[in-house]
Amino acid sequence: MARSGVLERRIAEASKEGDDDKCLIQISDFPGGDKTFELVAKFCYGVKLELTASNVVHLRCAAKHLEMTEEYGEGNLISQTGKFFNQVVFKSWKYSIKALQCCDEVLKYADEFNITKKCIESLSMRALADPNLFGGPMQSPGGSVLWNGISTGAKPEQTSSDWWYEDASMLSFALFKRLITLMDSRGIRQDIIAGSLIYYTRKHLPVLKRRHSGSSSMIKPLSSGSHVLSEEEQKHLLEEIQKLELPCMQKRLVPTKFFVDMLIIAKILKASQSCIENLEKRIGMQLDQATLEDLVMPSFSQTMETLYDVDSVQRIVDHFLGKEYQSMPLGASTSCSSVENRNLNGSPQSMTAVGKLIDRYLAEVASDVNLKIAKFQALASSVPEYARLLDDGLYRAIDIYIKDHPWLAETEREDLCRLLDCQKLSPEACTHAAQNERLPLRIIVQVLFIEQLQLKASIAGCFPVSDSLDGGGSRKLGSNGFSGESTKGGGWEAAVRENQDLKVGMDRMRMRVCELEKECSNMRQEIEKLDKTTKGVGASGSSSKTWENVSKKLGFGTISLKSHQMGSAQKGSRLKSNNENVKVEKLKDVKEHHGKL
């Protein structure tokens, strides 16, 4: 025991206090446990040890713990393990990974003696030596590798940049996190770091791996000897991963689908509410990169009110809009007039993409009979008006919702259709809406009126307008509205007057439609009475009277009756005149006969 400073002092102290024949020493919390202590004891008694990447970490920690320095013997255990690290372990990626895995078992001592740090730095240096992680080596025009600007003639090896993913995934998350953090600080491409994180997560969360069927074949399954995480351990791992603040996450290099899958698993594993909120926020920060498949998430609510998790999507959209509004200039409004301000920030493209995505999502979930109209309206109205260049997608979603919810009242349908801007419907959508019996009549009339206005505008655009029509001024329809000025108030005043005239015309048309509806219902009642009348003379009399009432409703009953009476009178007068002519001719014949006699 002379090779250990700690053991030498403990033996001397025990000898003074107890008997010389018996010396009992208790060593608690020994690095590596009984097996490592046995190897250290053999070394102290002169037995030669075989150092490997699997035992060198434990022996190094034990030697440091027992103070087995050169002071207590030449070629002591500290010096031998140090040489093995420098000459074998740190010069090999494979051995460095193995040694780092062993650090988990004695992490407190490995960190104290800087063994973990040196292993991670060794792996980082090995990764830095791979040019693929930085974009590839310098090459000559002929494709050969350059060394100090001179062509070596050697062709670059085609190796994948993810060759180290599997080895790194065997580490615990604490060590893996330290490894990728150091590699990121050393300049390794951030998309490579993001790929390693996704690989690690999918390997240790089996549910996530099954959802990602597209690349699951690239992920090697855990070996039979590997430790499969329990549900509680998986939940802890997921909560730790979502707390990461890597640059690759902040630069949106991690796919949105990855965070969506994690959100679904977090709800399955019943993770903390803060974990779920953070994942929803991450998805919202890059919602413009999401697809419809990403947002169609099943509901895990205990009440199971809906098939889809619409509430979560609503919160995700709110996070996205919060991020967008924060990027706006100070004092900019959030109405349609702020489109020019948002163009300066480069956000209209993302807003348009999100608007289309939400409209497609609404059309997907509209068939759920349990989806409340309030949730549908809230999600549809959360998208700003300027995010929709056309309302065709929203119209399709509303039509599907009304079709699959036939019990909606007329007022509810009208409230739902108020989300639409009929002026932003394409000609095809307008044609469909005008013939759609499910829509409220008010919306159909509005669509027909807008079609009429569009036709009027298109016809007016085909003919030049005289300068004298507007007091000698000119009025042109530009991209920002009416441009140009007239001598009597300008194009803007003319546009306001025209808008007022259109509103008056629409109100008149609505009143006329209501009158036609009332007349149509009265006609329907009269026709039903005709069907119920009995046959016979009395029936014909009453039916003629009823038909007269219907004819009056139609507006041509009086004319028909008058014409019928006039025809009868003319026919009677013709018969009377014919009879008189016959009588005159008979008298003439009688007179001629008497004359002859």
Side-chain angles (χ1 to χ4, degrees):
M1 296 293 121
R3 286 182 172 269
S4 170
V6 173
L7 291 178
E8 184 176 311
R9 290 194 300 271
R10 297 285 295 275
I11 292 173
E13 293 174 358
S15 300
K16 292 179 180 179
E17 296 176 358
D19 299 334
D20 294 337
D21 298 334
K22 295 180 180 180
C23 182
L24 181 61
I25 301 175
Q26 288 186 349
I27 302 177
S28 60
D29 195 16
F30 189 79
D34 300 340
K35 293 184 178 180
T36 304
F37 183 80
E38 182 179 357
L39 292 176
V40 172
K42 289 181 179 180
F43 176 81
C44 292
Y45 283 102
V47 178
K48 187 177 181 181
L49 298 180
E50 181 181 358
L51 296 177
T52 64
S54 301
N55 64 15
V56 67
V57 174
H58 295 168
L59 290 173
R60 176 77 174 178
C61 291
K64 286 279 191 176
H65 183 68
L66 295 176
E67 297 181 7
M68 300 179 70
T69 61
E70 294 297 302
E71 180 182 352
Y72 299 96
E74 187 177 354
N76 213 339
L77 191 56
I78 291 180
S79 63
Q80 290 194 23
T81 54
K83 289 179 182 179
F84 187 82
F85 267 110
N86 294 328
Q87 296 176 2
V88 179
V89 175
F90 293 153
K91 291 186 177 182
S92 168
W93 171 274
K94 178 181 178 181
Y95 291 153
S96 296
I97 283 286
K98 186 63 179 177
L100 189 57
Q101 282 183 277
C102 296
C103 289
D104 254 334
E105 302 172 6
V106 288
L107 190 58
K108 181 178 73 171
Y109 295 102
D111 286 341
E112 181 183 352
F113 303 135
N114 288 329
I115 300 175
T116 308
K117 180 181 177 182
K118 291 180 179 179
C119 288
I120 292 175
E121 289 179 348
S122 171
L123 292 171
S124 178
M125 293 300 296
R126 299 265 76 77
L128 290 172
D130 182 9
N132 290 311
L133 303 185
F134 297 90
M138 295 293 294
Q139 299 181 18
S140 66
S144 60
V145 179
L146 294 177
W147 181 78
N148 287 344
I150 303 173
S151 176
T152 61
K155 296 294 181 180
E157 296 182 1
Q158 299 296 329
T159 57
S160 176
S161 58
D162 61 353
W163 58 266
W164 58 280
Y165 286 2
E166 176 60 25
D167 293 335
S169 66
M170 295 186 294
L171 301 172
S172 66
F173 180 72
L175 295 178
F176 174 78
K177 176 183 175 181
R178 292 166 65 176
L179 174 62
I180 61 175
T181 302
L182 181 61
M183 293 173 72
D184 180 75
S185 65
R186 295 287 176 88
I188 291 182
R189 281 167 32 202
Q190 293 178 359
D191 59 321
I192 303 295
I193 302 296
S196 68
L197 176 63
I198 295 172
Y199 188 98
Y200 185 94
T201 307
R202 297 196 190 282
K203 181 171 183 177
H204 291 278
L205 296 178
V207 180
L208 191 66
K209 176 183 173 183
R210 285 195 295 269
R211 280 185 55 81
H212 191 67
S213 57
S215 63
S216 59
S217 58
M218 299 171 56
I219 303 176
K220 296 181 180 180
L222 293 172
S223 60
S224 58
S226 301
H227 173 62
V228 179
L229 300 179
S230 63
E231 287 190 3
E232 192 64 28
E233 290 173 333
Q234 291 183 36
K235 182 173 71 173
H236 178 72
L237 174 62
L238 187 143
E239 291 177 349
E240 290 297 320
I241 291 175
Q242 62 87 22
K243 292 179 183 177
L244 288 176
E245 294 293 341
L246 296 172
C248 61
M249 291 182 169
Q250 299 173 359
K251 294 184 178 180
R252 311 200 312 172
L253 296 177
V254 179
T256 307
K257 179 176 176 56
F258 174 73
F259 292 124
V260 172
D261 292 344
M262 287 188 65
L263 177 60
I264 294 175
I265 296 174
K267 294 181 178 180
I268 294 175
L269 298 176
K270 298 180 179 179
S272 63
Q273 187 63 30
S274 61
C275 173
I276 294 175
E277 291 176 356
N278 193 27
L279 288 172
E280 290 176 347
K281 183 178 180 181
R282 288 186 184 275
I283 297 170
M285 298 297 286
Q286 52 190 62
L287 182 59
D288 53 320
Q289 296 180 355
T291 62
L292 177 60
E293 182 184 1
D294 298 336
L295 292 188
V296 181
M297 298 178 289
S299 176
F300 295 98
S301 174
Q302 295 179 354
T303 57
M304 293 298 292
E305 293 181 355
T306 57
L307 295 176
Y308 307 100
D309 196 351
V310 181
D311 293 334
S312 183
V313 175
Q314 178 70 66
R315 291 191 293 269
I316 289 171
V317 173
D318 292 341
H319 284 304
F320 174 80
L321 295 176
K323 179 204 74 170
E324 289 296 312
Y325 292 145
Q326 288 176 3
S327 65
M328 293 179 61
L330 185 63
S333 69
T334 58
S335 61
C336 297
S337 62
S338 64
V339 176
E340 295 183 358
N341 293 332
R342 302 183 71 83
N343 285 334
L344 299 175
N345 300 327
S347 59
Q349 292 80 6
S350 61
M351 288 297 302
T352 303
V354 171
K356 292 180 180 179
L357 177 63
I358 296 304
D359 288 345
R360 292 176 61 198
Y361 176 78
L362 288 171
E364 184 71 22
V365 303
S367 57
D368 183 6
V369 295
N370 295 323
L371 179 60
K372 303 298 183 183
I373 187 173
K375 291 186 178 181
F376 185 92
Q377 288 177 308
L379 184 56
S381 60
S382 62
V383 179
E385 293 182 2
Y386 59 84
R388 292 188 176 101
L389 302 180
L390 288 176
D391 274 12
D392 289 13
L394 181 59
Y395 165 70
R396 177 172 176 266
I398 292 175
D399 185 37
I400 294 174
Y401 188 87
I402 295 176
K403 178 182 177 181
D404 292 326
H405 298 75
W407 55 83
L408 290 177
E410 188 72 13
T411 55
E412 291 178 324
R413 297 188 183 195
E414 289 184 357
D415 291 341
L416 202 58
C417 291
R418 285 195 181 96
L419 297 170
L420 284 173
D421 184 357
C422 296
Q423 297 183 7
K424 294 169 68 175
L425 292 177
S426 65
E428 295 79 7
C430 284
T431 302
H432 185 277
Q435 303 173 1
N436 193 344
E437 298 178 354
R438 292 185 291 270
L439 295 181
L441 185 60
R442 188 184 303 273
I443 299 299
I444 296 177
V445 172
Q446 187 176 356
V447 171
L448 291 174
F449 185 68
I450 289 174
E451 280 188 326
Q452 183 181 5
L453 292 180
Q454 291 176 350
L455 180 60
K456 178 182 176 182
S458 61
I459 293 175
C462 296
F463 301 95
V465 181
S466 175
D467 293 339
S468 61
L469 293 179
D470 196 12
S474 63
R475 182 163 59 95
K476 297 181 181 179
L477 186 61
S479 59
N480 295 326
F482 289 103
S483 61
E485 295 181 355
S486 65
T487 58
K488 293 186 178 180
W492 178 251
E493 294 181 0
V496 172
R497 289 195 302 270
E498 186 173 339
N499 190 21
Q500 292 176 350
D501 294 340
L502 292 177
K503 289 182 179 179
V504 172
M506 184 175 290
D507 293 336
R508 291 176 179 174
M509 185 174 291
R510 288 173 183 169
M511 294 174 63
R512 180 57 181 161
V513 168
C514 293
E515 293 175 359
L516 291 175
E517 286 180 346
K518 292 179 181 179
E519 293 182 6
C520 183
S521 94
N522 293 334
M523 289 169 55
R524 190 181 295 109
Q525 293 175 2
E526 295 292 344
I527 293 172
E528 290 176 356
K529 290 179 181 180
L530 280 175
D531 294 338
K532 294 179 181 179
T533 56
T534 58
K535 297 180 180 180
V537 178
S540 61
S542 63
S543 63
S544 62
K545 185 177 181 181
T546 307
W547 177 251
E548 182 179 352
N549 294 332
V550 175
S551 301
K552 289 180 179 180
K553 293 292 183 181
L554 292 174
F556 56 82
T558 307
I559 299 173
S560 300
L561 291 173
K562 287 182 179 180
S563 62
H564 178 70
Q565 293 173 358
M566 292 173 64
S568 299
Q570 290 175 1
K571 185 177 180 181
S573 62
R574 284 196 301 269
L575 291 173
K576 187 175 180 181
S577 62
N578 290 336
N579 292 333
E580 291 176 353
N581 292 333
V582 170
K583 291 180 180 179
V584 170
E585 288 178 357
K586 286 183 178 181
L587 289 173
K588 287 181 179 180
D589 291 339
V590 171
K591 288 180 179 180
E592 290 177 357
H593 181 68
H594 283 292
K596 290 179 180 181
L597 291 176

